[in-house]
Amino acid sequence: MLNPIDTAAVIRDGGAVGHYPGQIHEAVGWWLGACLVVTTKTPRLAVAHDGHPVSVEFADRLCQGAINAEHYACHVRHLGQQPEEELLAAANALEAPAAWVSARTDNRTDTVRIRLYTPLGTLLDDTTGLAVIRDLIARDRIPIPVNTQAKGTIEPWPPTSTDGARP
């Protein structure tokens, strides 16, 4: 694994949290996106961030991981900068899991938090998939695409009139 992390320290509290750079890096977003899709076996995912420049990068990587997760061809609805409550409302409308990325800067150190939610809007915990995700990452078993036809899409939210205004 390139750039391994301490999974026990970072993959916790409903997702991932750590100092950037150092404990956590951008690839963790990709890994979480791919592992969340495969663990929940979802064809849809909602993603948003708090607008912090580091959050934007992690959210983009998470989306890329989600659309490249094995054969799931996941359709990611990217809300961009939105409050966590808006993300959960959109995820509820989609009947999909969700990921919310936030960051804060203290004394020139960024702390990144990625929260992963079940389709019911509850934070993932060890009984609802977080332990599986932690194990996949620790064992370097991050899901990869099986072929280009299995690649998903990233679409804006709310839906535009060109895509039928459907969730």
Side-chain angles (χ1 to χ4, degrees):
M1 172 190 300
L2 296 175
N3 295 324
I5 60 167
D6 180 349
T7 54
V10 172
I11 310 299
R12 59 183 173 85
D13 299 335
V17 63
H19 296 294
Y20 170 79
Q23 295 176 312
I24 195 169
H25 52 80
E26 297 94 332
V28 173
W30 201 101
W31 300 346
L32 287 174
C35 290
L36 179 62
V37 167
V38 170
T39 300
T40 60
K41 299 174 176 35
T42 188
R44 291 177 301 279
L45 178 66
V47 178
H49 57 78
D50 67 354
H52 189 286
V54 173
S55 299
V56 172
E57 179 64 28
F58 275 80
D60 289 346
R61 294 282 184 103
L62 192 143
C63 291
Q64 290 299 316
I67 67 169
N68 284 294
E70 290 182 349
H71 62 277
Y72 288 91
C74 185
H75 298 287
V76 176
R77 289 297 188 153
H78 195 303
L79 284 74
Q81 181 179 350
Q82 294 293 329
E84 199 168 7
E85 297 77 25
E86 291 295 321
L87 167 68
L88 293 174
N92 183 51
L94 293 167
E95 299 176 353
W100 193 71
V101 183
S102 63
R104 73 170 197 273
T105 304
D106 294 320
N107 300 322
R108 294 180 283 178
T109 301
D110 294 315
T111 300
V112 176
R113 177 176 298 277
I114 302 171
R115 294 176 173 267
L116 305 175
Y117 290 93
T118 69
L120 299 176
T122 59
L123 276 173
L124 247 60
D125 62 25
D126 283 349
T127 64
T128 58
L130 196 60
V132 172
I133 291 171
R134 185 183 311 110
D135 184 59
L136 286 168
I137 294 171
R139 292 185 306 118
D140 195 19
R141 298 288 183 223
I142 291 85
I144 59 173
V146 293
N147 59 50
T148 56
Q149 290 79 24
K151 189 171 184 171
T153 59
I154 300 171
E155 302 166 354
W157 184 268
T160 63
S161 60
T162 59
D163 68 5
R166 57 176 165 55

